[in-house]
Amino acid sequence: MNYDTQSTVVRSRESALQTNKLLRNTYVLLAMTLGFSAVTAGVSMVFNLPHPGIIITLIGYFGLLFLTAKLRNSVWGIASVFALTGFMGLTLGPIVNAYLGLPNGPQIVMQALGATGIVFLGLSAYAIKSEKDFSFMGGFLFVGILVAFLAGLAAFFFNMPGLSLAVSAMFVLLMSGLILYETSNIIHGGETNYIMATVTLYVSIYNLFTSLLHLIGAFSSSD
C-alpha cells in the first residue's frame, strides 16, 4: 500500500513537471512567434505592401498549417511555425495600415491590441489557476468556427457588412473559448505537443485581434 502511494506521488510529480515544461515551452515559442509576426507586419506596413487577397491568404495559411502539423515532432516544425506566423504577420500589416488611415485609427488599433492582451492573459490565467477541464467545449468550438468561417466567406463574397460584423462578434466569443480550451488541454494532457499548442493559441490571438479591430472600427466610425 505504501509502495503504491509513493508510486502515485512520483507519477503525479512527473506529470506536473511535464505540464509545467509544456506550458513554458508553449509560451516561450508563442512570445517569439508573436514578436516575429509583429516584425513582418511592421515590414509590410513600412513598405505599404498590398493585402495578398483572401484566396492567397487562405492557401498560404492552410498550406503552412498542414506543413506545421506534419513536421510538429521535428526541429523543422519550429521553422514551419515561424513561416506560418511570419506569413500571417504580412497579411496583418495592410489591415492595420487601413485602420491607421482613419481619423481615429491609432486609437482603434491600440484599443483592439489592449483588449486582445487583456482577454488572452485573463482567460489563460483563469484556466491555469482554476485547473478546470474545458474539453467539453471541443465539439461546440469546431462547429462554431466552421459556421463562422463559412459565414465570413459569404459576407466577403456577397458584400454583406451586417453579416461581417456578426461574424466578427462570433469570432471574439469563439476565440475566447478556444483559448480556454487549448490552455485546459495543455494542463490536462489533451495536448502534448508545444508546437501545435503554440499554433492554436497564435491563431486564437490573431483572429481575436482582427475581429476586435473590425468591431471597434465599425462602432467608432462616424459614417
Side-chain angles (χ1 to χ4, degrees):
M1 181 68 177
N2 187 45
Y3 175 78
D4 291 340
T5 301
Q6 290 178 343
S7 298
T8 301
V9 171
V10 170
R11 286 196 298 270
S12 178
R13 288 177 178 174
E14 290 178 347
S15 177
L17 287 173
Q18 290 174 353
T19 298
N20 290 335
K21 181 180 179 181
L22 179 60
L23 276 171
R24 182 174 63 253
N25 289 343
T26 298
Y27 285 119
V28 167
L29 183 58
L30 179 62
M32 294 172 65
T33 53
L34 285 172
F36 183 64
S37 187
V39 169
T40 58
V43 170
S44 179
M45 292 168 66
V46 168
F47 290 98
N48 200 25
L49 299 179
H51 194 276
I54 190 170
I55 302 300
I56 294 177
T57 298
L58 290 177
I59 292 174
Y61 168 71
F62 284 109
L64 289 169
L65 182 63
F66 176 79
L67 181 64
T68 301
K70 281 289 186 181
L71 300 174
R72 65 184 179 274
N73 294 317
S74 73
V75 68
W76 291 107
I78 296 178
S80 182
V81 170
F82 278 97
L84 171 61
T85 56
F87 172 76
M88 296 308 292
L90 288 174
T91 68
L92 183 61
I95 298 174
V96 175
N97 260 350
Y99 281 95
L100 288 175
L102 298 176
N104 56 341
Q107 182 181 357
I108 293 172
V109 173
M110 291 307 298
Q111 286 178 346
L113 188 62
T116 300
I118 291 171
V119 170
F120 174 73
L121 293 175
L123 292 177
S124 297
Y126 175 73
I128 293 172
K129 293 295 183 181
S130 69
E131 296 185 353
K132 289 185 178 180
D133 187 356
F134 291 97
S135 59
F136 66 90
M137 298 173 63
F140 167 77
L141 289 171
F142 175 79
V143 174
I145 291 171
L146 179 60
V147 170
F149 175 72
L150 294 175
L153 290 179
F156 176 82
F157 287 112
F158 295 104
N159 191 24
M160 303 168 67
L163 179 59
S164 182
L165 282 175
V167 169
S168 291
M170 288 175 63
F171 264 109
V172 169
L173 295 176
L174 290 167
M175 293 304 105
S176 298
L178 189 58
I179 291 169
L180 284 174
Y181 173 79
E182 187 62 16
T183 307
S184 172
N185 253 359
I186 295 171
I187 296 171
H188 296 285
E191 177 61 80
T192 58
N193 187 287
Y194 73 95
I195 289 178
M196 296 311 298
T198 296
V199 169
T200 301
L201 292 176
Y202 174 87
V203 170
S204 301
I205 293 171
Y206 181 97
N207 285 317
L208 182 60
F209 173 66
T210 54
S211 297
L212 286 171
L213 196 60
H214 186 201
L215 290 171
I216 295 172
F219 289 109
S220 299
S221 175
S222 59
D223 295 339

